[in-house]
Amino acid sequence: MAADRPQFVLPAEAPDWYPQTMNHRIDGDLVRRERMKRAWTQEELSERSNLGVRTLRRIEAGQGSLDSLRRVAEAMEMEPSKVLVPEGNASPLRIPFDPLRVQLSMRLVTPANFKALFDELIERIKAIRRNYAWELGIILPGVRFQDFKCPDPIYQIYVRNVLMGQGELQAGKLLAVSKQRHHLADLDGLPTTDPSSGLPAVWIDEGQRSKAEELDCVVFDHISVVGAHLTRLVAVHAHRIIGTEEVAKLIDDLKLPNLVDEVVPHKTSLTTLRGVIRNLLAEQVSVIDLALILETLADHATLDKSADDLTPVVRRALRHTLCQPYLNKDGKIAAYTLRPEWEQKAEADPGVLDELTICLQGLEPLVLITSSKLRHLVKNRYPQLTVLADDELSEMYDVASLGELPVV
C-alpha cells in the first residue's frame, strides 16, 4: 500500500532546492550507490555528514528528514534535489551486494553497547584500510556492519556475499593466544582456538591479563579478535575483493594520464590489467608501485596477451618488492631449491610434482626457488607454498640455501 512506503509531504517552508511540483521521497538506493562508488562505509559517511549511523541507515532505506538528506548530499558533493524522486517513481529492484560485510549476533549488540561497539569497529576498519593502502597498494571498499538473529554470541565475515570466516566471543572475557600450548596451561579459562591464526587460545578474565602477557601470550579484546580475523581474510581474499571499478580508481588516482593512456586501452584492456593485479594480490604481492606495473605493460603488453601471460613479466619487474618479505635477519632469502635433474623431469612431466608432497610435510613455512618454467605449475599444485622463480630473485639480496628438494 502507498501508506506503507516512506514519503515526504511538501513542508510549509520547504528549502529552495526542494521540488515545488509534487510530493517526493528519498531515493535510498541512489544514496547507497553513490556512497559505494566512493568506497565509503556508512560510518565514514556518518563522520563526513555529522549524522548518526542509524540515521544514514534510515536514509538508505528511503526515510529521513530534509535536513539529514541535505547533509548527506553535501557530504557527497551532490545537489540534494538529485537524491529525491517523485512519489510513485519507484527505483528499480536491486539485489544488495557488499564486497565486505561483518555480521554480529544480536547476543553481542545491545542498546547499551551499540554506539561504543560500532565506534570501535569503525576505528579498527580505518586502521585496516590504511594498512592495506600502504602494504598492498590497494584501497579496500567499505565494510558493512549488520546485526542478525542468532542465539549464540558469534560474528560472521562475508567476502563478496560468501561466508569466509566466523568466530565466537565470550562476554566479559579476553582471548589469550600463544604458539606454546604449555603457556596456556598455566591460565585459568576456557580453552579454544584463535579464529584468525588457528593457534591454541584461552578465554580469560581481565584479572589474568598481566599473567598471560608475562607468559608471552598475545591478549585480544573482542574488537581485536574481529579486527585480526578480518585483516587475515582480507589478505587472503584481496584478489577477490578488487574489481574493475577499484582498478579504474587506482589508475585515476595515480595522476599519470600519459602513462595510463599509453597502456589502457592501447596496449591492453582494463580487464586484463585487473587480471594482472588480481594475480599479484592472490600471492600477496604489493601493487603499490602501480607506475612500474604500467611501465612494464607499456613495454611488453599487446592486446592478444592475457593476464596470465603478462603476470610473470610484471613479477620480474617487481623483483625487489617481491623478495623483501622473505628476507631473514641477515638480509638473505632463506630458501630451498629443486634438484636440477628432478626439475628437468618435472618440466617434462608435471605429474612428477606429486613427489614433493611427502618432503614438504612438517617443514616450516618456506620459500622454494624453481625455474621460471616450473614456478606456475608448482604454485598451482601447492598454493600455500611461497614459490619464486630464479629470474624473480633480486640482485640486491643473496640466497641462503636450506637444501635441495626432493630429499633422496
Side-chain angles (χ1 to χ4, degrees):
M1 297 174 61
D4 296 328
R5 296 198 307 269
Q7 59 181 330
F8 278 125
V9 175
L10 184 64
E13 296 183 2
D16 293 339
W17 52 262
Y18 190 91
Q20 301 296 310
T21 54
M22 60 186 296
N23 292 340
H24 286 67
R25 64 178 180 81
I26 295 175
D27 188 344
D29 284 342
L30 175 61
V31 173
R32 184 170 185 275
R33 288 198 301 274
E34 291 296 326
R35 174 176 64 79
M36 296 298 289
K37 280 182 183 178
R38 295 161 175 77
W40 293 351
T41 63
Q42 288 183 331
E43 291 75 18
E44 286 176 293
L45 183 53
S46 169
E47 290 187 354
R48 294 171 185 269
S49 62
N50 199 27
L51 293 171
V53 174
R54 285 187 172 181
T55 300
L56 290 176
R57 288 175 179 169
R58 285 172 54 80
I59 289 175
E60 291 191 4
Q63 307 173 48
S65 69
L66 291 179
D67 183 61
S68 296
L69 173 61
R70 176 187 59 79
R71 293 189 194 184
V72 168
E74 290 178 354
M76 295 193 293
E77 299 181 346
M78 298 175 61
E79 290 292 332
S81 59
K82 301 296 184 183
V83 191
L84 293 173
V85 292
E87 263 301 321
N89 291 359
S91 298
L93 180 64
R94 186 177 58 83
I95 298 174
F97 171 75
D98 299 295
L100 287 170
R101 185 170 82 250
V102 177
Q103 294 190 164
L104 302 174
S105 161
M106 293 184 71
R107 282 281 303 277
L108 299 173
V109 183
T110 66
N113 74 358
F114 176 86
K115 186 177 187 308
L117 179 65
F118 281 96
D119 283 350
E120 286 189 62
L121 283 170
I122 290 168
E123 291 304 312
R124 183 56 57 91
I125 295 303
K126 287 181 180 178
I128 292 172
R129 296 182 77 196
R130 284 194 299 268
N131 180 66
Y132 280 107
W134 281 107
E135 290 195 1
L136 287 181
I138 59 175
I139 303 298
L140 293 176
V143 180
R144 174 178 287 275
F145 291 97
Q146 293 179 329
D147 53 12
F148 70 107
K149 291 183 178 180
C150 179
D152 302 315
I154 67 172
Y155 65 88
Q156 298 176 332
I157 300 175
Y158 288 79
V159 177
R160 302 191 75 87
N161 278 1
V162 177
L163 178 62
M164 290 298 183
Q166 66 178 23
E168 183 171 344
L169 305 176
Q170 294 293 321
K173 303 289 186 180
L174 301 172
L175 187 66
V177 182
S178 176
K179 292 183 178 179
Q180 308 297 326
R181 191 178 295 273
H182 64 275
H183 288 174
L184 299 175
D186 294 331
L187 297 173
D188 183 20
L190 177 66
T192 185
T193 300
D194 175 31
S196 172
S197 64
L199 293 172
V202 174
W203 287 107
I204 60 173
D205 294 325
E206 173 67 37
Q208 293 193 85
R209 180 195 284 267
S210 296
K211 181 179 180 180
E213 292 174 345
E214 290 173 0
L215 293 169
D216 292 329
C217 296
V218 181
V219 180
F220 296 93
D221 59 19
H222 286 187
I223 298 298
S224 298
V225 171
V226 177
H229 201 174
L230 179 62
T231 299
R232 173 147 180 93
L233 288 177
V234 168
V236 173
H237 299 289
H239 61 295
R240 295 189 174 94
I241 298 170
I242 299 301
T244 303
E245 289 297 327
E246 287 78 18
V247 172
K249 188 175 188 310
L250 284 177
I251 61 176
D252 285 344
D253 291 346
L254 196 58
K255 306 301 182 186
L256 296 173
N258 292 334
L259 174 59
V260 171
D261 185 63
E262 173 72 17
V263 178
V264 180
H266 295 106
K267 293 293 184 70
T268 192
S269 68
L270 183 61
T271 301
T272 301
L273 175 60
R274 179 199 65 193
V276 170
I277 289 176
R278 280 182 168 176
N279 286 345
L280 295 170
L281 292 175
E283 298 190 44
Q284 298 181 38
V285 177
S286 174
V287 297
I288 196 167
D289 197 349
L290 185 57
L292 178 57
I293 293 173
L294 291 174
E295 292 280 5
T296 303
L297 293 177
D299 291 336
H300 298 279
T302 56
L303 292 175
D304 61 337
K305 288 185 178 180
S306 69
D308 289 341
D309 296 329
L310 295 169
T311 300
V313 181
V314 173
R315 284 176 61 92
R316 288 194 289 274
L318 294 174
R319 59 190 180 278
H320 304 313
T321 300
L322 205 63
C323 293
Q324 276 191 340
Y326 310 113
L327 300 180
N328 61 18
K329 62 182 180 180
D330 298 321
K332 298 180 179 181
I333 303 172
Y336 287 88
T337 56
L338 295 176
R339 293 182 177 279
E341 67 278 6
W342 184 90
E343 191 167 43
Q344 292 175 4
K345 185 168 64 171
E347 288 178 5
D349 178 12
V352 173
L353 293 176
D354 291 341
E355 295 179 14
L356 285 176
T357 301
I358 295 178
C359 62
L360 290 174
Q361 291 176 355
L363 292 178
E364 290 294 321
L366 55 86
V367 175
L368 180 63
I369 297 174
T370 73
S371 68
S372 56
K373 291 182 179 179
L374 206 56
R375 196 205 84 85
H376 190 62
L377 294 172
V378 174
K379 185 63 181 178
N380 281 348
R381 178 64 180 81
Y382 301 99
Q384 302 307 314
L385 191 63
T386 298
V387 187
L388 297 177
D390 49 18
D391 59 0
E392 295 173 351
L393 299 176
S394 169
E395 61 275 12
M396 296 172 58
Y397 311 116
D398 294 327
V399 175
S401 178
L402 298 176
E404 292 184 332
L405 298 178
V407 178
V408 294

